[in-house]
């Protein structure tokens, strides 16, 4: 299935964004660890959250988390402390996403996790038991989800956990998010320099409501930046957000989008400012990178983005995917050091009828859709259903805002 997206003459939308997947998946683990009687309010209905809910509510011993990387990492740690024998697997892409760092760390802390097929990758067999805990070191440049997975089960380890992070620590806001949510559930951690210490203690159940997703908001910011005539309100966002991707609001101010906070969420307006070149380190907000790459080239704003090392191990190699798909539209990007992506304004001949490949990656589909506001013929996107991973109602919301979406198989 392919969708062709064509833009409206004017864009007007009041959007109820999906709940934050990052908060949902952490809250689900913390709710389970606290044996909470409360149901989490405003829980996302995206694929990643649904597989977590299904696993945590299941009596099965074998789990298929499909393409949900967060679920794979969080559940691997969670199941390692639940007495029993478990298996966890996923899609073919998931079977090629590394998990050795987390497995090694868990085994060093007293767990028993084994590989069922390829060394270092899912599927896994987990023999859950009480964990001894103790002191370990991890490279700070690994996915923050490994770190968060360990931190959330840390207070239930016999000796707690002392975690030394070596080198540059990436995605700090996601680690902070985990620690702040743990504190809301009654567990305090100490983060001094490169060391995080969690002493043995108990979680306490609380009623919990999930904030809307700032990552999802970024696509609407992109639409505002690319539009000539737009009114956009995004509901359910907090000014003092726990989400690192809330930083996107300040960054989009350099691309001409102003943010007004209300008691309902945020209102977007053109602010009349637009930088001539954008340099930014996305080490703390890697999920925003695709949105800004696509927006900048379509605004003809050269950029140099660093801190992208985690993009190589996401749903796809996002650096290569961006280079390949933007070449179809006539833009030549370069990368270096597995962590830097830049565009100096260089162009090439675009394809006559480009179709954007999404690589089983929800953010590729959502980041490229706003291009319909700039491209005269609109934009065609393959496998648009991938958005269900984090924002199932994305295409419905675009239609409500006035976009024309044509299903090319009908």
């Amino acid at each position: 299935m392919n969708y062709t997206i064509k833009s409206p003459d004017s864009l007007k939308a009041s959007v109820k964004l999906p709940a934050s997947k990052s908060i949902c998946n952490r809250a689900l683990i913390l709710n389970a660890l606290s044996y909470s009687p409360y149901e989490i309010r405003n829980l996302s209905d995206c694929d990643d959250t649904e597989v977590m809910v299904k696993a945590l509510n299941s009596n099965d011993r074998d789990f298929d988390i499909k393409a949900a990387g967060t679920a794979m990492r969080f559940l691997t740690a969670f199941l390692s402390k639940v007495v029993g024998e478990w298996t966890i697997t996923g899609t073919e892409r998931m079977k090629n996403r590394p998990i050795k760092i987390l497995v090694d760390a868990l085994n060093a802390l007293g767990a028993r996790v084994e590989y069922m097929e390829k060394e270092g990758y899912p599927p896994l067999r987990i023999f859950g038991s009480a964990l001894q805990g103790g002191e370990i070191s991890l490279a700070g440049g690994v996915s923050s989800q490994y770190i968060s997975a360990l931190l959330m089960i840390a207070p239930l380890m016999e000796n707690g956990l002392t975690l030394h992070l070596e080198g540059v620590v990436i995605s700090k806001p996601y680690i902070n998010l985990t620690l702040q949510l743990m504190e809301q559930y009654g567990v305090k951690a100490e983060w001094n320099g490169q060391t995080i210490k969690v002493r043995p203690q108990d979680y306490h159940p609380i009623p919990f409501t999930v904030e809307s997703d700032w990552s999802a908001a970024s696509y609407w910011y992109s639409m505002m930046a690319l539009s000539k005539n737009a009114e956009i309100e995004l509901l359910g966002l907090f000014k003092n957000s726990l989400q690192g991707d809330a930083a996107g609001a300040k960054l989009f101010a350099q691309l001409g989008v102003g943010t007004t906070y209300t008691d309902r969420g945020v209102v977007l307006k053109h602010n009349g400012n637009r930088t001539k070149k954008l340099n930014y380190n996305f080490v703390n907000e890697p999920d925003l990178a695709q949105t800004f790459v696509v927006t900048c080239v379509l605004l003809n704003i050269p950029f140099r983005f660093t801190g992208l090392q985690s993009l190589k191990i996401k749903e796809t190699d996002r650096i290569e995917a961006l280079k390949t798909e933007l070449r179809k539209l006539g833009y030549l990007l370069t990368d270096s050091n597995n962590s830097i992506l830049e565009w100096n304004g260089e162009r090439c001949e675009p394809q006559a009828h480009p179709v954007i490949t999404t690589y089983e990656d929800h953010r590729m589909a959502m980041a490229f859709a706003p291009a319909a506001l700039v491209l005269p013929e609109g934009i065609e996107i393959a496998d648009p259903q991938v958005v269900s991973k984090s924002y199932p109602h994305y295409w419905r919301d675009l239609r409500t805002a006035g976009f024309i979406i044509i299903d090319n198989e009908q």
Side-chain angles (χ1 to χ4, degrees):
M1 181 200 310
N2 290 2
Y3 277 176
T4 296
I5 299 100
K6 297 189 175 184
S7 68
D9 294 331
S10 62
L11 177 58
K12 187 171 184 179
S14 180
V15 184
K16 185 181 187 301
L17 293 168
S20 164
K21 179 166 65 77
S22 298
I23 293 178
C24 284
N25 288 350
R26 287 163 172 79
L28 283 166
I29 293 292
L30 298 175
N31 227 43
L33 292 173
S34 65
Y35 301 98
S36 177
Y38 303 110
E39 285 192 11
I40 298 172
R41 295 186 293 268
N42 193 36
L43 198 61
S44 173
D45 59 355
C46 71
D47 291 350
D48 276 22
T49 299
E50 284 188 353
V51 297
M52 286 277 286
V53 171
K54 184 178 178 181
L56 291 169
N57 291 336
S58 171
N59 292 320
D60 293 340
R61 295 191 173 274
D62 305 300
F63 304 108
D64 182 353
I65 54 74
K66 301 176 183 176
T70 311
M72 173 60 74
R73 290 153 182 174
F74 288 2
L75 286 172
T76 295
F78 176 82
L79 292 171
S80 72
K81 63 150 293 297
V82 180
V83 175
E85 182 178 336
W86 320 96
T87 69
I88 185 167
T89 189
T91 62
E92 282 305 308
R93 170 61 184 167
M94 183 58 61
K95 291 181 180 182
N96 288 285
R97 294 181 69 178
I99 200 166
K100 187 176 190 300
I101 292 170
L102 177 59
V103 169
D104 286 352
L106 288 167
N107 286 341
L109 295 166
R112 183 184 167 195
V113 183
E114 300 175 351
Y115 303 110
M116 297 173 65
E117 295 179 8
K118 186 167 58 173
E119 179 79 14
Y121 299 87
L124 305 174
R125 178 171 284 107
I126 302 166
F127 300 88
S129 63
L131 300 184
Q132 182 180 352
E135 193 165 345
I136 61 170
S137 296
L138 280 184
V142 303
S143 169
S144 64
Q145 292 178 9
Y146 298 146
I147 297 167
S148 291
L150 293 169
L151 289 173
M152 286 189 287
I153 63 170
L156 304 178
M157 297 178 188
E158 184 178 337
N159 298 314
L161 175 65
T162 300
L163 179 58
H164 302 290
L165 300 175
E166 300 175 337
V168 177
V169 181
I170 66 171
S171 301
K172 279 186 180 179
Y174 286 101
I175 301 173
N176 272 320
L177 172 62
T178 301
L179 294 176
Q180 289 178 71
L181 290 173
M182 287 168 61
E183 187 166 353
Q184 290 187 33
Y185 277 86
V187 165
K188 292 189 176 181
E190 305 162 31
W191 190 351
N192 296 311
Q194 298 281 105
T195 299
I196 304 174
K197 187 166 188 174
V198 184
R199 302 178 191 278
Q201 52 199 297
D202 293 324
Y203 286 111
H204 302 291
I206 58 169
F208 190 85
T209 301
V210 181
E211 179 190 6
S212 290
D213 185 21
W214 271 101
S215 305
S218 72
Y219 310 114
W220 293 93
Y221 272 84
S222 176
M223 292 176 220
M224 176 60 74
L226 296 171
S227 70
K228 293 183 173 64
N229 183 13
E231 298 177 28
I232 298 176
E233 179 185 34
L234 304 176
L235 305 175
L237 296 172
F238 303 162
K239 184 174 184 178
N240 299 315
S241 176
L242 296 179
Q243 298 174 64
D245 283 356
K250 289 183 179 179
L251 192 54
F252 263 108
Q254 297 185 56
L255 300 185
V257 182
T259 303
T260 301
Y261 293 90
T262 70
D263 57 357
R264 287 161 52 93
V266 302
V267 175
L268 310 185
K269 292 184 179 179
H270 293 121
N271 64 14
N273 300 322
R274 191 171 286 175
T275 187
K276 292 183 178 179
K277 182 175 182 179
L278 188 61
N279 296 312
Y280 192 73
N281 185 341
F282 278 97
V283 69
N284 289 328
E285 304 91 17
D287 284 343
L288 296 183
Q290 287 147 295
T291 310
F292 278 93
V293 167
V294 175
T295 307
C296 282
V297 298
L298 293 172
L299 291 174
N300 202 34
I301 295 174
F303 63 82
R304 186 175 190 271
F305 295 155
T306 59
L308 303 180
Q309 50 266 50
S310 66
L311 266 62
K312 304 287 282 187
I313 60 168
K314 295 286 188 177
E315 283 77 354
T316 186
D317 181 338
R318 288 176 170 171
I319 291 177
E320 283 302 315
L322 285 166
K323 288 170 58 184
T324 300
E325 300 312 306
L326 284 169
R327 178 186 284 268
K328 294 177 181 178
L329 301 183
Y331 303 95
L332 292 176
L333 279 59
T334 59
D335 68 299
S336 57
N337 202 33
N338 284 327
S339 63
I340 299 170
L341 191 59
E342 46 193 327
W343 181 60
N344 63 8
E346 187 177 0
R347 303 292 298 269
C348 64
E349 186 68 25
Q351 291 183 3
H353 301 288
V355 178
I356 301 302
T357 304
T358 49
Y359 306 89
E360 299 183 12
D361 185 348
H362 54 135
R363 300 203 187 281
M364 287 296 289
M366 293 187 286
F368 274 85
L373 290 157
V374 175
L375 303 177
E377 301 300 318
I379 190 161
E380 186 171 354
I381 294 178
D383 302 314
Q385 70 278 4
V386 294
V387 302
S388 65
K389 181 174 173 62
S390 64
Y391 192 165
H393 306 304
Y394 184 66
W395 304 119
R396 183 196 69 187
D397 287 349
L398 262 62
R399 285 189 175 100
T400 301
F403 285 86
I404 297 170
I405 300 179
I406 302 166
D407 185 341
N408 294 330
E409 285 197 355
Q410 287 186 352

